[in-house]
Amino acid sequence: DEDFITYVPLKLASGKLDWLTKQIRQARDTIQSKVIFIDHLEYLVPGKNARLDGVSSNFATYIGMICRELKLLAINEGVVVVAMSHVRKTNDPTIDDLKDSSSVGQEADIVIMLKRLTVEEEKRKKNKYSAPDENEEEVYSKFTRASVVKNRRTGITKKDRLILEKGRFISNTEEFDKF
């Protein structure tokens, strides 16, 4: 779209929330950014040798602190913050599988889990009893499962099957039962 403008800082300062606040304000003020994407949350944690004065050195506790700060930042600066985080490797991820801290899910207003299916998983979904083909190279399919696992505003959660077409995800719910 012609109206889609992005702002990307020229350098990254890992673990510096004051730097992030400055970047968000600059993007909001110069190009009227309303949505901030952070890919991924773990980049906001200082390096292993950094001193965390007055803060727990426990990684999960630090991630929780970052989540609370991001939430306050979003409220105070009038922007929406979308923070990506990894999940533990599992076939059907839930909010409990968020990596390193349950506070990610606790602080978030909405948690959406995405799982990209492999070609092999697609084949097994279509025929539950077929064994995986050991000779076939595992490649991702065009299908992604999107699950809203937390919604603080309405409480409504749901799953949807998305298909990637021409660089965009399109809902494919009519085939969700096969998913």
Side-chain angles (χ1 to χ4, degrees), residues 56-117:
S56 170
S57 59
N58 179 304
F59 190 76
T61 302
Y62 196 74
I63 288 283
M65 184 199 81
I66 289 172
C67 290
R68 281 186 291 286
E69 291 293 322
L70 287 175
K71 188 167 194 165
L72 289 172
L73 180 64
I75 292 166
N76 293 335
E77 301 301 329
V79 295
V80 173
V81 174
V82 178
M84 279 57 110
S85 183
H86 291 275
V87 295
R88 291 183 196 96
K89 297 208 184 261
T90 179
N91 219 15
D92 192 16
T94 68
I95 198 166
D96 296 328
D97 294 313
L98 286 168
K99 189 174 179 186
D100 295 315
S101 179
S102 62
S103 56
V104 173
Q106 290 170 351
E107 293 295 330
D109 289 334
I110 296 175
V111 175
I112 301 171
M113 311 287 276
L114 299 175
K115 179 168 185 340
R116 186 99 183 263
L117 295 182

